[in-house]
Amino acid sequence: MLQSKSFVRKTKQGKVVKVVREHYLRDDIYCGASSCKVCDSSGARLTSSASTILIVDTNVVLNQIDLLENQAIDEVVILSVVLEEVKNKNLAVYNRLRALCSNSMRKFFVFSNEYHRETYVKAMVGESPNDRNDRAIRVAAQWYQNHLGNATRVLLITNDRENKRKATEEGISAETVESYVKSLGQPGLLDLLVQPPSQDLGMEEVEDLRPSKRKIIYTEHKPMSEITAGLHRGIYHQGKLRVNRYNPFEAYVGSESIGDEIIIYGRPNMNRAFDGDIVAVELLPQDQWHEEKSLSIVDEEDDEEENVHLVPNSADDAPRVTNQMQGSVGDANAVLSRPSGRVVGVIKRNWHSYCGSLEPMPMPAGSGGVAHALFVSKDRRIPKIRIQTRQLGNLLDKRIVVAVDSWDCLSRYPSGHYVRTIGEIGDRDTESEVVLIENDIDNRPFASQILACLPPLPWSVSSEDLANPIRQDLRHVRVFSVDPPGCKDIDDALHCTALPDGNFEVGVRIEMTPEAEIISTRYTKSVIKSCAALSYVEAQARMDDSRLMDPLTADLRNMNALAKVMRQRRIDRGALTLASAEVKFQIDTETHDPLDIGMYQIREANQMVEEFMLAANVSVAAKILEHFPLCSLLRRHPSPTREMLEPLLRTAAAVGLNLDVSTSKALANSLDRAVGDDPYFNKLIRILATRCMTQAVYFCSGDLTPPEFCHYGLATPLYTHFTSPIRRYADVVVHRLLAASLGIYKLPGIFQDRPQLTSISDNLNYRHRNAQMASRSSVELHTLIYFRKRPTDTQARIVKIRSNGFIVFVPKFGIEGPVYLTGRGDKGSGEWLVDEQQQKVKKIDGSISYGVLQTVRIHMEVVEPQPNRPKLQLTLI
Amino acid sequence: MEFVSPEGLRLDGRRPMEMRQIRAEIGAVSRADGSAVFEMGNTKVIAAVYGPREVQNRSQQINDQALVRCEYSMANFSTGDRMRKPKGDRRSTEISLVIRQTMEACILTHLMPRSQIDIFVQVLQADGGTRSACINAATLALADAGIPMCDLVTSCSAGYLNSTALLDLNYVEDSAGGPDVTVGILPKSEKVTLLQMDAKLPMDTFENVMQLAIEGCKAVATYIREVLLENTKQLEYRRGV
């Protein structure tokens, strides 16, 4: 083992510090080829029969990761210098590459050339780090060739011309990605290639040919140094770009430096930034701040329109359009207080792959099989993407995945490349998979390693389990379960026994007085024998049927009585009864097409079960926090700020309702008082209130202080998820914590590590949000399928007023969407006036007016204004 | 951050169970009764021992055993940025105490009543594991001074990062904030004289980490013995025996 020292200079907060680190060079790093006789081949990944071994350059990995992920590319050596460079440049690609290297099905081998005695390269004087790394790659390639001998060809894949030239000079065979892929003879693979930007100019034919649009050229992005300086001096503002869901030509940048959101209108001002990019924004001069445009739901320059969407469930995903107009509308000097700006540079890209389809186009005649096409993403916030394909005929009627590569300032659309095909457009399975992919949901079956953790099937309670003293035998107790109808994972088992002293012993082992005071809680593992699996409907029916007097029904009634008391007390503490528009489909058993849509009905039995599950969760939260104050997984719901509740207050004020939002209790009370003329009014207000709140999140108790643990919606100081380990991972984690606190198992190691637990809870939140989004898109998809055959007239409520229409909510189906007052063609938006204070839109002559929360009748039908993008259109009757 | 790559290499190219290169030199300060320089990778420590000699402050004198004193300090140039640290700050005081107690455990103090032994250790270059390096240097210096000891004391640290037990943490690994277990043992009797950790670890993991540190201590002991033997041979040679 040899030791050498590498001297690195590093700047830290502007200071230049000399850092000296040791760097040990080793001779026990093996080449990874199983045919090699010199090296230890226990960790070998490359097969002996391989005639060619690939060594890839950093830029190849960064740009062509989709290609590398294809099965056709194998026998690849990834050098540690490449890994390190990739890690510094793009963490997402690094993770994908690491996944490839650890995948036992693929033959990717990581060679730690930086620590190998013979391949370590010291930077020469005056050599840039890039050149040094390129040289390191060449030295490693050379070493491989010498090491493996002439039987195997070591091929260096690089697109860097200089590197390739030097490699050839040094006697290493080198090729560009294109020529290598061509030599493989699989035309489909070529589509996966990212085209170098220089070839982009040949794509005029798919450009939008409208003369006015051809001139559009984006301004050059400012260099990073200038952006940093500008941010420092306060002329630029940094923030995450969020594109308006309803209008892709409008985006917001939440900037901390000016404490407000900056609006960005139009693609030229967005300057090639994507949704989610971190951008630097320059404010436009005040006289260019647009007026009123933000109020319109459709931008007139747009050839697209807004989709009908499901109701967003919380403030997290709805764009915060808090428009404070000063002075009345119609005042010519109306000053808009919202700053607008334009993007001068992108600090961090949020590019990933997108699902969608190709814009229909005629098959080009004989252009060598290569066709240029425009890809239209399913997500409206993403602009069209240009791709090159050799299999156009195959792809036209398919949903495909496309990744973005670059966006030149000379081209109107970004260019990308084809990744893979999902399936036929319009096919329900394909579209469902699109929903899953878009929300980053992994629906692959569990890996064999995971399944190996489970006991073999068929499983039954063994005598060992029964004999285990930790597990308590409760099979004599009358336990029953209440779950949704058709539920496969029965997890809400309850029981309720009257104790001799008049108290009740309930369900999740919580003892109570008849006044539902919890006397004592006991946590134990147990064996139960369920005497009945009830659905909510059955349980409700049993409770309501006064003739039934059997013990099970008596138990149900007792529990219900207790639940009511608990619920009342919770409400007295200030728990909010929030409403959301949950929809339920009736699905045809044969075709799996939706037969009927309706709002999910909530029964007393649901509330009863919910109440006991809440109680169990709260007690478990207290228990684990007591034992593990720093590493418990809890769930909290932050209190909404006044600013977040602003839209609710304005709507309420418009209908003459005064809401007190000072505390959750005050809000709950004023929500209770908000009873209008019709029964649905209250629910609607609650739905609006729900949307103003942020979502509840999981967190690790060590990361926050106890006052922050509180759950606003439930008005409890502590909460966690415990009762459904079969469908939520959080519950599994909490189960382990609880088991450890009872001394049943040892606490797994990851709980000792706070950063790990924090990352688990972050991932739980991310997955939870994605699952919600996916379920919403899936409902949207089924709604479309349902209404495709059945145009319907129905009642709707106005929830938001815009200058050329309003957004309505259809209570019966839980759908929200826009209704336009002005036609698409005519630009006469002057006909209608918006009154912000009153939340009303009036015809200029005052003949017709619509106010917020007003009931209107609408007609719903599915139209397809753009191919492959059907949508639900709502029109006023 | 990734401290151990999936290939099983640490940031500086070592494997988890490997120590940094160690080097020791005896007799660096000729005025002292015994002295040594000890290096563990980029950590470099010098130790000087004076005594046994008369107790300077009579009130501290102990009638049945020797008084052992220790002073630990870090050179201003020992870390990259030149920083003037006040003498006797909490950290130095603590380490001085730790070293004194560890050394006291092996010095046969009852053989030298009413006398004083001074151990001075200074860190010339710090790169993690200074505590262990200081103890190893002090052992060598004590041996060089010919002070009777029941055994050598050697020390080594081990940590736990990325769910892997790592031997002999360097500065980068040390400042990752993970647990850092410093162990000092008497290698012949395998008795533990020093055990420090300021973090939490599950018991079974802790045992693994501590076992690894003990292995490290033994390796250090083997090396120190070699150095002492070599040194003795040199002395023999010079005397012309």
Side-chain angles (χ1 to χ4, degrees):
Chain A
M1 237 171 357
L2 220 91
Q3 182 196 23
S4 97
K5 281 172 185 164
S6 67
F7 298 79
V8 194
R9 260 167 233 274
K10 192 165 95 177
T11 48
K12 222 194 265 170
Q13 304 146 1
K15 260 206 288 188
V16 179
V17 187
K18 182 173 177 187
V19 180
V20 181
R21 296 220 176 119
E22 284 176 293
H23 193 93
Y24 289 85
L25 300 183
R26 339 180 42 101
D27 40 21
D28 63 345
I29 291 173
Y30 304 122
C31 69
S34 49
S35 61
C36 182
K37 289 172 187 65
V38 194
C39 298
D40 174 26
S41 59
S42 57
R45 300 291 290 274
L46 310 170
T47 47
S48 46
S49 57
S51 58
T52 309
I53 283 178
L54 303 182
I55 292 183
V56 290
D57 181 358
T58 312
N59 285 323
V60 172
V61 175
L62 283 173
N63 295 325
Q64 315 283 4
I65 184 75
D66 287 325
L67 178 76
L68 292 179
E69 278 174 352
N70 193 294
Q71 301 285 339
I73 307 288
D74 244 331
E75 309 285 348
V76 182
V77 172
I78 304 289
L79 303 176
S80 64
V81 56
V82 172
L83 265 178
E84 201 54 37
E85 270 193 298
V86 169
K87 189 180 183 181
N88 290 334
K89 288 203 173 122
N90 190 335
L91 205 59
V93 173
Y94 173 76
N95 289 333
R96 286 165 76 181
L97 186 63
R98 269 293 182 201
L100 268 181
C101 295
S102 58
N103 185 347
S104 56
M105 308 300 287
R106 306 296 304 271
K107 295 175 189 104
F108 276 63
F109 180 76
V110 179
F111 179 69
S112 307
N113 68 318
E114 293 282 45
Y115 300 111
H116 193 286
R117 184 155 40 165
E118 286 159 42
T119 55
Y120 175 70
V121 162
K122 208 162 185 167
M124 292 188 295
V125 178
E127 192 179 37
S128 77
N130 260 334
D131 291 342
R132 186 239 156 224
N133 290 345
D134 283 348
R135 191 157 60 88
I137 294 171
R138 290 197 302 273
V139 167
Q142 187 85 62
W143 181 85
Y144 254 92
Q145 187 69 73
N146 296 341
H147 182 75
L148 294 177
N150 287 329
T152 333
R153 187 167 75 118
V154 176
L155 186 60
L156 176 66
I157 306 275
T158 176
N159 271 11
D160 183 335
R161 211 168 291 155
E162 187 65 5
N163 197 10
K164 184 165 175 267
R165 186 183 61 77
K166 282 188 182 156
T168 323
E169 272 174 19
E170 288 163 25
I172 309 162
S173 44
E175 271 195 73
T176 61
V177 189
E178 288 79 20
S179 57
Y180 175 69
V181 172
K182 271 185 196 137
S183 71
L184 288 178
Q186 291 185 36
L189 276 184
L190 281 168
D191 278 5
L192 288 171
L193 271 187
V194 176
Q195 298 305 320
S198 59
Q199 290 182 12
D200 267 10
L201 295 170
M203 302 205 43
E204 286 293 306
E205 50 194 301
V206 284
E207 285 270 287
D208 215 330
L209 290 173
R210 276 173 293 178
S212 62
K213 305 269 169 164
R214 281 191 73 179
K215 287 176 205 145
I216 293 177
I217 285 173
Y218 301 100
T219 41
E220 196 75 56
H221 284 164
K222 295 265 192 296
M224 204 56 215
S225 55
E226 205 172 311
I227 291 176
T228 321
L231 287 173
H232 208 66
R233 294 214 316 268
I235 46 173
Y236 298 151
H237 306 276
Q238 177 179 347
K240 194 178 198 172
L241 187 91
R242 289 181 300 127
V243 178
N244 189 340
R245 236 170 227 285
Y246 289 123
N247 176 6
F249 289 79
E250 184 182 288
Y252 313 91
V253 174
S255 158
E256 273 179 18
S257 48
I258 60 166
D260 193 4
E261 281 183 330
I262 304 168
I263 308 188
I264 292 158
Y265 296 107
R267 288 266 156 82
N269 280 340
M270 271 154 76
N271 199 358
R272 295 172 279 154
F274 268 56
D275 181 71
D277 287 354
I278 309 284
V279 293
V281 180
E282 177 186 47
L283 286 184
L284 292 173
Q286 199 138 349
D287 55 312
Q288 286 180 34
W289 291 8
H290 294 237
E291 285 175 43
E292 291 226 18
K293 241 181 152 186
S294 69
L295 298 173
S296 67
I297 14 184
V298 181
D299 206 316
E300 73 266 16
E301 71 169 303
D302 190 1
D303 50 356
E304 297 168 63
E305 265 179 80
E306 143 177 19
N307 257 313
V308 173
H309 273 280
L310 274 185
V311 188
N313 269 331
S314 71
D316 297 346
D317 32 46
R320 225 179 289 158
V321 188
T322 49
N323 209 327
Q324 284 104 37
M325 291 279 285
Q326 288 165 1
S328 66
V329 191
D331 182 353
N333 302 325
V335 184
L336 199 69
S337 62
R338 294 195 74 186
S340 54
R342 85 192 163 84
V343 174
V344 293
V346 177
I347 295 166
K348 192 160 181 278
R349 280 289 187 191
N350 184 36
W351 280 347
H352 46 98
S353 31
Y354 303 96
C355 291
S357 55
L358 293 182
E359 206 167 61
M361 55 183 282
M363 285 291 288
S367 57
V370 182
H372 304 287
L374 272 181
F375 165 86
V376 186
S377 164
K378 192 124 186 302
D379 187 343
R380 301 182 70 249
R381 293 173 293 180
I382 307 302
K384 292 175 188 169
I385 301 167
R386 303 180 317 175
I387 64 164
Q388 277 189 36
T389 176
R390 284 160 190 80
Q391 37 182 343
L392 185 65
N394 282 335
L395 296 183
L396 273 178
D397 57 346
K398 298 273 168 44
R399 285 273 179 230
I400 59 172
V401 179
V402 158
V404 189
D405 305 324
S406 63
W407 196 344
D408 196 48
C409 63
L410 293 173
S411 59
R412 185 162 146 75
Y413 297 118
S415 48
H417 65 272
Y418 159 86
V419 178
R420 69 189 179 91
T421 307
I422 303 168
E424 303 266 325
I425 291 177
D427 179 49
R428 202 191 37 256
D429 293 340
T430 308
E431 301 292 343
S432 298
E433 204 185 328
V434 168
V435 167
L436 292 180
I437 293 175
E438 286 209 307
N439 291 293
D440 192 14
I441 291 172
D442 187 352
N443 62 339
R444 281 173 301 180
F446 285 118
S448 52
Q449 293 101 307
I450 301 175
L451 292 176
C453 302
L454 297 174
L457 286 170
W459 181 85
S460 65
V461 180
S462 69
S463 49
E464 290 155 45
D465 285 335
L466 290 179
N468 191 341
I470 296 167
R471 201 172 277 279
Q472 203 173 357
D473 195 346
L474 295 176
R475 283 175 300 172
H476 59 280
V477 181
R478 191 168 53 242
V479 176
F480 49 88
S481 63
V482 186
D483 278 291
C487 181
K488 280 185 203 149
D489 41 350
I490 291 173
D491 59 355
D492 296 344
L494 295 164
H495 76 105
C496 175
T497 318
L499 294 178
D501 58 356
N503 291 351
F504 291 103
E505 186 181 63
V506 169
V508 214
R509 310 259 83 198
I510 302 171
E511 268 180 71
M512 292 188 173
T513 62
E515 289 77 47
E517 289 293 339
I518 297 177
I519 302 173
S520 71
T521 40
R522 189 149 57 89
Y523 311 87
T524 175
K525 277 179 137 359
S526 64
V527 196
I528 56 164
K529 187 172 168 194
S530 178
C531 68
L534 304 172
S535 73
Y536 289 131
V537 190
E538 286 166 345
Q540 188 65 41
R542 267 173 182 270
M543 283 192 279
D544 294 345
D545 191 346
S546 54
R547 286 166 305 170
L548 283 178
M549 291 309 284
D550 60 300
L552 178 61
T553 316
D555 284 353
L556 276 173
R557 290 198 187 120
N558 282 338
M559 285 181 73
N560 197 23
L562 288 175
K564 278 183 180 160
V565 180
M566 284 158 66
R567 187 174 182 78
Q568 189 50 48
R569 199 170 36 227
R570 201 159 56 80
I571 288 168
D572 290 344
R573 274 201 314 266
L576 293 171
T577 320
L578 297 171
S580 65
E582 235 179 294
V583 223
K584 202 179 93 184
F585 286 92
Q586 284 202 340
I587 304 277
D588 188 319
T589 45
E590 288 290 307
T591 59
H592 297 289
D593 280 343
L595 291 175
D596 194 14
I597 313 181
M599 296 289 279
Y600 192 76
Q601 206 191 339
I602 292 179
R603 295 185 179 78
E604 224 174 44
N606 297 37
Q607 293 185 341
M608 175 185 89
V609 173
E610 184 194 343
E611 211 51 57
F612 284 106
M613 295 305 141
L614 282 180
N617 285 338
V618 170
S619 351
V620 168
K623 175 87 178 167
I624 56 173
L625 190 68
E626 178 196 340
H627 282 261
F628 307 110
L630 289 179
C631 61
S632 290
L633 183 78
L634 302 178
R635 192 168 168 81
R636 73 195 190 100
H637 184 203
S639 315
T641 59
R642 194 168 178 96
E643 187 207 3
M644 283 156 64
L645 290 168
E646 197 60 40
L648 171 69
L649 290 177
R650 252 183 309 134
T651 310
V655 292
L657 194 66
N658 195 13
L659 290 180
D660 182 358
V661 294
S662 50
T663 60
S664 67
K665 173 139 181 64
L667 180 60
N669 284 341
S670 38
L671 283 178
D672 285 341
R673 272 185 273 106
V675 197
D677 318 327
D678 63 310
Y680 203 73
F681 178 79
N682 189 269
K683 176 123 196 228
L684 204 56
I685 288 282
R686 285 185 198 275
I687 289 177
L688 289 179
T690 313
R691 265 197 255 167
C692 294
M693 317 249 169
T694 50
Q695 282 177 332
V697 287
Y698 296 106
F699 68 100
C700 162
S701 58
D703 292 344
L704 295 168
T705 57
E708 291 172 300
F709 293 177
C710 101
H711 196 291
Y712 179 80
L714 296 173
T716 56
L718 287 178
Y719 191 65
T720 190
H721 270 161
F722 169 74
T723 49
S724 284
I726 13 184
R727 61 185 178 89
R728 281 188 308 228
Y729 184 67
D731 300 50
V732 178
V733 176
V734 173
H735 264 79
R736 288 181 188 150
L737 281 164
L738 182 66
S741 74
L742 297 175
I744 298 174
Y745 295 122
K746 263 194 297 185
L747 192 61
I750 56 152
F751 294 106
Q752 314 285 344
D753 192 4
R754 202 161 89 193
Q756 257 193 72
L757 196 58
T758 308
S759 77
I760 286 179
S761 59
D762 286 347
N763 192 33
L764 280 172
N765 291 329
Y766 172 73
R767 297 287 166 198
H768 182 81
R769 206 159 41 233
N770 281 2
Q772 279 188 323
M773 303 286 263
S775 101
R776 211 183 303 156
S777 337
S778 165
V779 169
E780 236 167 73
L781 174 69
H782 284 86
T783 315
L784 271 180
I785 299 176
Y786 175 75
F787 283 105
R788 183 170 288 161
K789 293 174 203 137
R790 314 174 177 78
T792 315
D793 291 348
T794 185
Q795 278 206 339
R797 309 292 297 253
I798 297 174
V799 290
K800 224 181 251 173
I801 298 283
R802 291 288 183 264
S803 65
N804 61 344
F806 40 74
I807 292 178
V808 294
F809 173 68
V810 186
K812 193 173 169 210
F813 306 116
I815 290 167
E816 192 178 82
V819 170
Y820 302 101
L821 289 170
T822 46
R824 289 251 288 110
D826 67 282
K827 301 264 169 357
S829 55
E831 258 181 83
W832 293 88
L833 279 182
V834 178
D835 185 345
E836 272 287 324
Q837 247 78 53
Q838 295 285 313
Q839 291 274 309
K840 272 196 164 91
V841 56
K842 267 188 276 200
K843 205 151 195 171
I844 219 143
D845 53 10
S847 57
I848 316 169
S849 81
Y850 296 102
V852 77
L853 297 189
Q854 190 182 332
T855 313
V856 288
R857 276 195 73 77
I858 55 155
H859 175 75
M860 304 163 69
E861 76 180 311
V862 174
V863 291
E864 206 166 320
Q866 281 177 293
N868 302 333
R869 221 190 233 175
K871 60 170 196 139
L872 194 60
Q873 183 169 279
L874 312 180
T875 41
L876 203 61
I877 304 177
Chain B
M1 196 168 152
E2 193 180 74
F3 289 97
V4 187
S5 72
E7 288 74 51
L9 291 176
R10 288 153 75 172
L11 292 174
D12 55 3
R14 284 184 287 158
R15 293 199 189 274
M17 317 268 266
E18 286 174 353
M19 229 170 20
R20 289 176 288 179
Q21 201 166 64
I22 51 179
R23 195 182 76 86
E25 189 191 324
I26 289 176
V29 184
S30 46
R31 172 162 290 182
D33 295 317
S35 64
V37 172
F38 196 85
E39 283 177 41
M40 297 174 94
N42 277 339
T43 299
K44 189 173 193 173
V45 171
I46 189 165
V49 169
Y50 293 86
R53 56 185 178 183
E54 206 175 343
V55 180
Q56 282 167 340
N57 187 348
R58 274 294 165 83
S59 64
Q60 287 178 334
Q61 179 174 306
I62 312 169
N63 280 327
D64 55 350
Q65 62 181 51
L67 170 72
V68 179
R69 296 207 313 173
C70 178
E71 195 179 301
Y72 163 96
S73 63
M74 273 177 93
N76 284 333
F77 52 83
S78 61
T79 53
D81 38 352
R82 189 185 181 90
M83 232 193 297
R84 183 159 289 278
K85 293 204 187 77
K87 201 180 162 191
D89 62 333
R90 293 175 73 102
R91 196 181 110 86
S92 324
T93 319
E94 187 243 279
I95 297 183
S96 303
L97 185 75
V98 164
I99 298 173
R100 200 196 81 205
Q101 286 172 345
T102 315
M103 299 330 289
E104 253 181 349
C106 72
I107 298 173
L108 301 171
T109 46
H110 60 277
L111 297 181
M112 299 161 279
R114 292 182 300 279
S115 62
Q116 168 178 336
I117 299 166
D118 285 303
I119 306 170
F120 296 97
V121 276
Q122 186 164 41
V123 178
L124 299 181
Q125 190 167 277
D127 186 28
T130 49
R131 217 171 284 233
S132 305
C134 287
I135 290 171
N136 295 334
T139 303
L140 269 173
L142 283 172
D144 185 35
I147 288 169
M149 294 194 281
C150 61
D151 196 354
L152 297 167
V153 199
T154 56
S155 167
C156 190
S157 69
Y160 190 71
L161 290 168
N162 296 142
S163 311
T164 323
L166 302 179
L167 185 62
D168 190 17
L169 303 183
N170 67 19
Y171 178 72
V172 185
E173 291 164 333
D174 199 18
S175 37
D180 175 17
V181 184
T182 305
V183 180
I185 61 161
L186 302 173
K188 254 191 227 156
S189 49
E190 287 199 28
K191 279 183 181 157
V192 174
T193 60
L194 165 71
L195 181 57
Q196 271 194 315
M197 174 172 76
D198 28 12
K200 285 182 188 170
L201 261 185
M203 268 315 285
D204 43 352
T205 328
F206 171 74
E207 276 161 21
N208 287 338
V209 176
M210 180 170 160
Q211 197 51 49
L212 187 63
I214 288 177
E215 295 302 319
C217 293
K218 286 182 187 163
V220 173
T222 318
Y223 178 72
I224 284 184
R225 274 210 197 91
E226 269 172 36
V227 173
L228 284 174
L229 206 63
E230 185 59 34
N231 185 53
T232 316
K233 275 182 191 156
Q234 287 277 329
L235 287 177
E236 267 180 343
Y237 174 73
R238 268 183 230 151
R239 285 198 186 163
V241 180

